[in-house]
DNA sequence: TTGTACGCGTTATCAC
DNA sequence: GTGATAACGCGTACAA
């Protein structure tokens, strides 16, 4: 029975012949310990295999060092890329990421947040689909910082990071028109996310401003398969579009594949396609998709910076802030001209 | 100054007119509380906004409920799919996932594990590239359960989950031969992961057993770009292969794209290709890749089950175990015949 | 069933 | 610079 697994600061202190406080100070950045004491403590800690108990530390400091990442569609190219950046930067900032997956049920965001609160997470970053109105309130009440990415909610308090979706959509109209396209279409999913809807509205508005109509179709979940279905619907119409803006690269890949392999339509000769996200697959030769790059690392660093530096004012609330980042157009071969 | 953010069990007890232990028992599954007390506690907790402090609970129980996911290449299709399954199952099991990204430096796995220990994680699941010999020891010493996925290390103690890579590779040789291919090739990265090397060795061995030589090439990181480069090298040789097994679907996609678009080689007519992983993109019409499915959800559930049910014996060590799962061949259009 | 008292491992405060 | 002591919020043995 080797029950005793973890070494405590007291044991290290005993072995080093110092007090428990000395041990604590040794492992607290910015505390003052004499070099000699420090050396002895570190030596004892090393031989005993001591590791600071972050649970106890968090309990004392009222600061766990945990940041909660609440995310749906984890396996999606865009999400996983964002996840990678966030975890990297969090680690560099000395924080640790707690990942909560909200894929299954839909009240699960609420459940997730509750979990985060139980672990006294210092902050939560939400890159999940559906909004819950009560979220911000729940977070604020728990003194938790909150970052909302790509959700243009009208929530007070947290930091909101969004892209210029509408402007981007406008650019696509211009590009399509330059390419000589006249029958514009927009392919969307039924997710109804703020950013997806912003792209749709921006595209339609810009086209209308030029006196052009847009046929809009929505279907299913925002993925490759939905893109195929959308193509099957939109390309069998009498008035077949000659240019389609897909709300997402995944939709665009599915759309393009269906157009080429099921309808033998040549892209971009007979049909121009644009996407959004600039996922890795968009650059693969089979797609060579013109799209907009989500500034993933900028988004992540804005979020982390805010978490690290923003100070709650004397009301205990943090200054609310909204950041809009630019999605840069990446020109590839799925639109004529360029 | 609304400094007091978190509600403690004591405050709930005061409001409900009971003792603090009654509150504790109410939130401890399997404790005995009278229905009336329970009701009053829950009501007080609700109105006050009480949430159990998991940090303090973990401190007491010597069981944090945290499971550490140590992973590299988070944004890779296969990894993110595994990540999705693991987080889902962990949450269902009442645990919470702590995500540690080991992409950057290389001693970072060690660093990550240390972080896990500081938070007193109950277990770590490693799906990261490079092995560190000292890992298992460090974990065991901390009484931490350890699961190694797709790393055929000779480490004692932990649970090891692997696939039948060699056998799968053998199947590919058979399929290639049936398709009439005679000049076999294997495309690999330089990662040198146990599973990648197992596929390579298995393929070469099976081919040799049939009296056929295999040209093997390795290059760069296990991704799409490396696949392209490999194609450029292998398809410009005088003895151009008529069948190539790529160690990974990403490599296969890159290889196929280069073959088609740069060399105008028709797949599968002039060149048969097989991959491994069955990432989502393998099923996309542009690739339609014959490959092996990683039984992602089976792998995840084996891991989680073991974490939940395996009991440390009276030495404090858990029974070590090695699980081999079957990678099922998914027939698609990149190999002739079928 | 309920309440009291103690301990978990740490840090902050305060004398020295 | 150092050491004693009091918290932090919770689980639980024990007595009632």
């Amino acid at each position: 029975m080797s029950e005793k697994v973890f070494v405590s600061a007291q044991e290290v202190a005993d072995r080093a012949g110092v007090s428990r406080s000395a041990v604590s100070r040794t492992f607290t950045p910015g505390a003052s310990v004499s070099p000699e004491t420090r050396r002895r403590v570190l030596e004892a800690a090393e031989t005993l295999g001591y590791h600071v108990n972050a649970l106890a530390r968090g309990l004392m400091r009222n600061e766990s060092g945990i940041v909660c990442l609440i995310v749906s569609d984890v396996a999606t190219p865009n999400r996983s890329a964002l996840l990678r950046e966030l975890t990297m930067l969090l680690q560099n900032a000395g924080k640790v990421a707690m990942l909560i997956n909200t894929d299954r049920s839909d009240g699960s965001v609420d459940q997730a947040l509750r979990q985060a609160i139980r672990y006294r997470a210092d902050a939560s970053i939400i890159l999940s689909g559906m909004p819950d109105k009560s979220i911000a309130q729940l977070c604020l009440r728990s003194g938790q910082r909150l970052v909302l990415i790509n959700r243009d909610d009208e929530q007070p308090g947290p930091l909101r990071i969004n892209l210029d979706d509408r402007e981007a959509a406008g650019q696509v109209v211009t590009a399509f028109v330059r390419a000589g396209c006249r029958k514009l279409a927009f392919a969307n999913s039924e997710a109804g996310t703020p950013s997806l809807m912003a792209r749709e509205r921006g595209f339609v508005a810009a086209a209308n401003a030029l006196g052009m109509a847009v046929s809009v179709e929505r279907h299913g979940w925002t993925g490759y398969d939905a893109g195929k279905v959308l193509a099957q619907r939109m390309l069998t119409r009498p008035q077949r579009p000659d240019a389609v803006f897909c709300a997402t690269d995944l939709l665009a890949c599915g759309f393009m594949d269906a157009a080429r392999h099921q309808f033998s339509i040549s892209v971009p000769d007979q049909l121009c396609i644009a996407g959004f996200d600039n996922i890795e697959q968009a650059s693969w030769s089979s797609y060579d998709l013109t799209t907009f790059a989500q500034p993933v690392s900028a988004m992540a660093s804005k979020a982390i910076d805010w978490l690290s530096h923003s100070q709650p004012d004397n009301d205990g609330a943090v200054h609310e802030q909204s950041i809009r980042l630019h999605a840069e157009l990446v020109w590839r071969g799925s639109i004529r001209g360029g």
Side-chain angles (χ1 to χ4, degrees), chain A residues 13 48 62 66 83 93 104 123 174 186 195 217 220 223 238 254 289 315-316:
Chain A
L48 259 48
N62 246 340
I66 296 174
L83 203 56
R104 282 280 177 272
T174 310
F186 189 87
S195 45
E217 192 89 19
L289 182 67
D315 284 345

Side-chain angles (χ1 to χ4, degrees), chain A residues 191-213:
Chain A
T193 307
S195 45
L196 295 183
M197 295 311 290
R199 288 166 208 166
E200 179 182 313
R201 281 191 294 267
F203 188 73
V204 171
N208 289 350
L210 265 57
M212 311 176 77

Side-chain angles (χ1 to χ4, degrees), chain A residues 4-197:
Chain A
K4 196 79 184 71
V5 244
F6 288 109
V7 182
S8 75
Q10 182 63 63
E11 302 175 54
V12 177
D14 292 346
R15 192 176 215 288
V18 298
S19 77
R20 209 177 34 216
S21 327
V23 179
S24 176
R25 278 192 279 264
T26 303
F27 290 100
T28 302
S32 62
V33 204
S34 79
E36 171 58 13
T37 308
R38 181 183 188 76
R39 195 191 56 74
R40 293 173 59 184
V41 169
L42 285 179
E43 186 184 314
E46 178 65 28
T47 60
L48 259 48
Y50 170 74
H51 300 268
V52 176
N53 189 330
L55 269 45
R57 169 180 280 180
L59 193 55
M60 263 304 299
R61 290 197 180 155
N62 246 340
E63 190 180 314
S64 60
I66 296 174
V67 173
C68 225
L69 269 33
I70 300 180
V71 34
S72 64
D73 305 329
V74 187
T76 270
N78 183 47
R79 283 288 158 77
S80 56
L82 198 45
L83 203 56
R84 178 187 47 189
E85 296 299 318
L86 284 170
T87 49
M88 295 275 9
L89 292 178
L90 276 177
Q91 286 170 214
N92 290 348
K95 307 267 182 196
V96 70
M98 179 164 279
L99 178 59
I100 297 193
N101 185 337
T102 62
D103 273 354
R104 282 280 177 272
S105 66
D106 212 23
S108 59
V109 176
D110 204 74
Q111 205 58 34
L113 215 43
R114 220 169 290 279
Q115 187 79 300
I117 292 177
R118 294 198 352 227
Y119 279 91
R120 299 299 189 261
D122 300 333
S124 287
I125 302 180
I126 301 191
L127 31 159
S128 186
M130 288 294 84
D132 277 337
K133 276 305 174 193
S134 55
I135 283 185
Q137 199 183 355
L138 188 57
C139 265
L140 279 177
R141 212 174 144 181
S142 315
Q144 203 174 126
R145 281 175 188 29
L146 187 62
V147 179
L148 264 40
I149 297 190
N150 277 344
R151 309 153 104 266
D152 217 342
D153 300 315
E154 299 296 338
Q155 308 271 8
L159 167 68
R160 300 186 295 277
I161 300 182
N162 289 286
L163 301 181
D164 52 351
D165 296 287
R166 298 181 66 94
E167 290 76 359
Q171 264 186 279
V172 179
V173 172
T174 310
F176 281 165
V177 170
R178 275 216 194 104
C181 304
R182 290 296 172 266
K183 286 169 287 185
L184 272 44
F186 189 87
N188 205 350
S189 76
E190 292 174 324
T193 307
S195 45
L196 295 183
M197 295 311 290

Side-chain angles (χ1 to χ4, degrees), chain A residues 289-311:
Chain A
L289 182 67
T290 295
T291 184
F292 291 89
Q294 293 224 23
V296 181
S297 72
M299 297 165 80
S301 68
K302 287 284 182 193
I304 308 299
D305 281 357
W306 186 78
L307 291 185
S308 316
H309 300 315
S310 81
Q311 298 295 338

